[in-house]
Amino acid sequence: NAGVTQTPKFRVLKTGQSMTLLCAQDMNHEYMYWYRQDPGMGLRLIHYSVGEGTTAKGEVPDGYNVSRLKKQNFLLGLESAAPSQTSVYFCASSPRGWGYEQYFGPGTRLTVT
Amino acid sequence: AQKVTQAQTEISVVEKEDVTLDCVYETRDTTYYLFWYKQPPSGELVFLIRRNSFDEQNEISGRYSWNFQKSTSSFNFTITASQVVDSAVYFCALSLNRDDKIIFGKGTRLHILP
């Protein structure tokens, strides 16, 4: 069991470029989440999904889009990267939503110059 | 408003000392879950414990213990006889009834000095 994996681990983008972060889980979890972690800010939820084909906005969704075409994958897209999106991005999954713990991936460190 | 406060931004203790990480939460819900996560220097968050609002029993797991007190809206985490491997950022989190999201505190960075 790989658990939750994220691709890539590191990336440097120039302002205005686009990219997609891939999250994959092999635990057959229904719920998946994308967070960003910035110094002093803790974890902030970007978008989440309660099942295949569904997505919902979190606390800081602007500038990001997501898709959940397959149950095991959750993609986070940046259409036009900005320096404010420099952060560490974490994906998580959970068997259910409310009340259940989330299992996290190793993170993706993104720098936008 | 729902909120999780970890007032201790950073703590340093010498190895083998006991240390308590504070967590205070705010919610008007009577049904909720509380969590603790550990983020070691490697970066990946690791789930430690989940506690529901109807279970105020303290929990002990090896050198780790958790004290849940609804009267003070606190869910504190104590590490006994700390070790260097306990150095990490620790997050407290709250999950509210019927909400699929978890509200995280900003974390406490713990340094265990050899």
Side-chain angles (χ1 to χ4, degrees), chain A residues 4 7 18 31 34 71 77 88 102 109:
Chain A
V4 180
T7 310
S18 63
Y31 290 69
W34 275 108
K71 185 178 184 178
V88 180
Q102 295 178 9
R109 185 172 293 276

Side-chain angles (χ1 to χ4, degrees), chain A residues 16 32 36 50 59 81 87 110:
Chain A
M32 296 187 75
R36 60 178 290 173
V50 303
E59 181 186 353
S87 188
L110 174 66

Side-chain angles (χ1 to χ4, degrees), chain A residues 2-6 23-25 27 29 33-37 43-45 89-94 100-107, chain B residues 35-39 43-47 91 93 102 104:
Chain A
V4 180
T5 58
Q6 293 183 230
C23 176
Q25 53 95 4
M27 296 176 283
H29 285 173
Y33 303 82
W34 275 108
Y35 294 90
R36 60 178 290 173
Q37 184 179 26
L43 287 158
R44 292 184 293 171
L45 182 64
Y89 291 85
F90 286 98
C91 176
S93 72
S94 177
Y100 280 77
E101 61 271 22
Q102 295 178 9
Y103 297 87
F104 283 80
Chain B
F35 304 82
W36 275 95
Y37 285 84
K38 174 181 180 180
Q39 185 179 36
E44 191 163 336
L45 278 89
V46 176
F47 164 73
F91 291 94
I102 291 181
F104 284 88

Side-chain angles (χ1 to χ4, degrees), chain A residues 1-3 26-27:
Chain A
N1 260 3
D26 61 3
M27 296 176 283

Side-chain angles (χ1 to χ4, degrees), chain A residues 62-73:
Chain A
D62 293 343
Y64 305 95
N65 56 73
V66 288
S67 65
R68 183 102 181 265
L69 298 179
K70 292 183 179 180
K71 185 178 184 178
Q72 62 268 34
N73 296 338

Side-chain angles (χ1 to χ4, degrees), chain B residues 3 5 10 46 63 75 78 93-94 96 98:
Chain B
K3 191 178 173 183
T5 301
E10 202 157 344
V46 176
R63 296 183 296 105
F75 186 42
T78 297
L94 169 67
L96 300 174
R98 297 184 301 277

